[in-house]
């Protein structure tokens, strides 16, 4: 039985869990022995951090009013007011 | 808030738009990379959501419902644009390269507009450019997962895809993003 069979490389799901700090101790230990998985996991963590830090953009001022101009608000009886 | 809106409470409608306008607009903007178009698609999304609020089923997360409609709007637009782009190559009935060239739409060198400058300022970083290179299905999945923070299960529900497909798309998208980013650093 080979080392790789006993301690398989991390799956993409496990790499994501590790990057989020959610991977169990037993599987995290694999990173101490496997430079390949450690390099992948570190690149993945950087990517996920960069994605999570992307800014949110806002539409132009007055967006809510422009939407509401086309919305029919139902009355409690089920009719539409506009 | 949704229940208030269903009861015809106009401030609740407005609050729902305010609460979701940034995430929805940001997703659409990154999908189509055109501010004005993203705003039209966001407006279309909210109008559909609010006019159909009575058909909303609470077993579905409200945010998932909005993102599902927004994503459909973006994908429909991108498919239409792809068809338009193909037609730029010339008539599908052309039988020789000369006929193709003669019937092709000539765009010429386009001057960069002020709007293009805004897009390149807002979406010009390496990671934004890498996201733009992903195919639309991968782009939607990666944005919903890692920018908006939805679970794989929610994304599968939103995009009407099997869970395994969503996972595959996201893993492939992350591999492609890492590849693009590493290539630009070299």
């Amino acid at each position: 039985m080979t080392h790789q069979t006993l301690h398989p490389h991390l799956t993409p799901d496990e790499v994501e869990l590790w990057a989020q700090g959610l991977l169990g101790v037993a599987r995290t230990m694999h990173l101490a022995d496997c430079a390949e998985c450690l390099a992948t996991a570190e690149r993945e963590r950087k990517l996920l951090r960069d994605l999570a830090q992307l800014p949110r953009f806002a539409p132009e001022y007055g967006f809510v009013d422009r939407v509401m101009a086309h919305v029919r608000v139902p009355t409690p009886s089920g009719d539409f007011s506009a | 808030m949704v229940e208030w809106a269903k009861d015809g409470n106009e401030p609740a409608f407005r609050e729902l738009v305010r609460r979701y306008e940034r995430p929805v607009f940001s997703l659409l903007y990154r999908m189509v990379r055109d501010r004005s178009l993203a705003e039209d698609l966001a407006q279309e999304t909210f109008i559909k959501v609010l006019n159909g609020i009575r058909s909303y089923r609470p077993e579905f997360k409200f945010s998932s419902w909005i993102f599902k409609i927004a994503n459909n709007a973006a994908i429909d637009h991108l498919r239409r644009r792809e068809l338009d782009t193909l037609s730029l190559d010339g008539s599908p009935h052309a039988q020789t390269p000369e006929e193709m060239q003669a019937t092709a739409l000539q765009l010429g060198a386009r001057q960069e507009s002020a709007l293009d400058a805004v897009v390149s300022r807002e979406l010009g970083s390496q990671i934004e450019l890498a996201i733009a290179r992903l195919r639309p299905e991968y782009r939607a999945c990666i944005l919903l997962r890692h920018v908006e923070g939805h679970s794989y299960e929610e994304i599968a529900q939103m995009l009407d895809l099997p869970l395994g497909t969503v996972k595959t798309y996201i893993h492939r998208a992350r591999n492609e993003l890492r590849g693009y980013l590493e290539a630009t650093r070299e």
Side-chain angles (χ1 to χ4, degrees), chain A residues 11-17 20 39-82, chain B residues 5-10 13-14 17-18 21-23 25-26 29-30 35 39 42-43 46-47 50-51 53-54 67 122-123 125 127-128 131 142-143 145-148 152 167 170-171 173-175 177-178 181-182 185:
Chain A
T11 64
D13 283 344
E14 287 176 326
V15 169
E16 184 178 342
L17 286 172
Q20 295 166 329
T40 304
E42 283 179 343
R43 286 202 309 268
E44 191 82 335
R45 180 162 62 183
K46 180 175 183 338
L47 175 65
L48 298 188
R49 202 171 41 214
D50 289 350
L51 286 168
Q53 287 174 350
L54 287 176
R56 277 193 172 154
F57 300 106
E60 294 297 315
Y61 179 78
F63 180 74
V64 178
D65 290 333
R66 288 195 293 284
V67 169
M68 290 306 293
H70 298 276
V71 170
R72 294 165 297 141
V73 179
T75 62
S77 65
D79 300 330
F80 290 99
S81 64
Chain B
K6 275 184 165 179
D7 288 343
N9 184 320
E10 191 183 327
F13 273 61
R14 290 179 171 273
V17 180
R18 267 193 292 272
E21 65 180 348
R22 279 172 171 257
F25 176 75
S26 299
Y29 189 25
R30 290 193 167 98
R35 247 190 174 277
E39 186 156 330
Q43 195 170 320
F46 281 106
I47 292 167
L50 297 180
N51 281 337
I53 195 119
R54 293 216 154 166
F67 279 110
E122 291 180 331
L123 300 181
S125 66
I127 190 158
E128 296 282 13
I131 292 169
I142 205 94
L143 292 171
R145 174 76 189 118
H146 294 299
V147 180
E148 294 306 327
Y152 287 101
K167 285 191 171 188
I170 291 176
H171 296 157
R174 290 206 303 250
N175 283 341
L177 287 177
R178 282 203 311 270
L181 292 168
E182 280 156 24
R185 277 187 211 116

Side-chain angles (χ1 to χ4, degrees), chain B:
Chain B
M1 192 60 66
V2 176
E3 288 307 312
W4 283 355
K6 275 184 165 179
D7 288 343
N9 184 320
E10 191 183 327
F13 273 61
R14 290 179 171 273
E15 180 56 28
L16 285 173
V17 180
R18 267 193 292 272
R19 213 172 265 194
Y20 291 102
E21 65 180 348
R22 279 172 171 257
V24 166
F25 176 75
S26 299
L27 173 82
L28 290 165
Y29 189 25
R30 290 193 167 98
M31 289 296 287
V32 301
R33 294 181 66 83
D34 177 321
R35 247 190 174 277
S36 151
L37 176 60
E39 186 156 330
D40 287 348
L41 295 174
Q43 195 170 320
E44 186 187 307
T45 299
F46 281 106
I47 292 167
K48 260 189 199 163
V49 165
L50 297 180
N51 281 337
I53 195 119
R54 293 216 154 166
S55 65
Y56 164 66
R57 300 194 323 269
E59 66 267 22
F60 209 54
K61 247 175 114 176
F62 188 70
S63 61
S64 300
W65 190 46
I66 294 187
F67 279 110
K68 181 190 182 88
I69 293 172
N71 182 66
N72 284 345
I75 296 286
D76 285 349
H77 167 80
L78 292 170
R79 284 191 185 134
R80 281 197 305 272
R81 189 165 74 180
E82 194 178 348
L83 289 176
D84 292 345
T85 307
L86 287 176
S87 69
L88 296 179
D89 293 336
S91 165
H93 306 296
Q95 292 185 344
T96 65
E98 291 74 26
E99 282 179 14
M100 291 281 281
Q101 195 173 5
T103 54
L105 187 57
Q106 301 297 312
L107 290 178
R110 198 166 64 93
Q111 294 249 319
E112 187 178 270
S113 70
L115 287 175
D116 292 333
V118 171
V119 173
S120 72
R121 191 180 65 235
E122 291 180 331
L123 300 181
S125 66
Q126 291 302 334
I127 190 158
E128 296 282 13
L129 294 172
I131 292 169
R133 291 176 67 176
L134 296 173
R135 50 189 267 201
E137 294 82 358
Y138 290 7
R139 208 181 313 156
C141 284
I142 205 94
L143 292 171
L144 289 167
R145 174 76 189 118
H146 294 299
V147 180
E148 294 306 327
H150 292 282
S151 69
Y152 287 101
E153 289 78 8
E154 286 167 358
I155 298 169
Q157 222 178 16
M158 282 178 216
L159 305 186
D160 284 328
L161 290 171
L163 183 59
T165 305
V166 169
K167 285 191 171 188
T168 303
Y169 281 6
I170 291 176
H171 296 157
R172 286 185 187 161
R174 290 206 303 250
N175 283 341
E176 287 186 19
L177 287 177
R178 282 203 311 270
Y180 295 145
L181 292 168
E182 280 156 24
T184 55
R185 277 187 211 116
E186 282 163 10

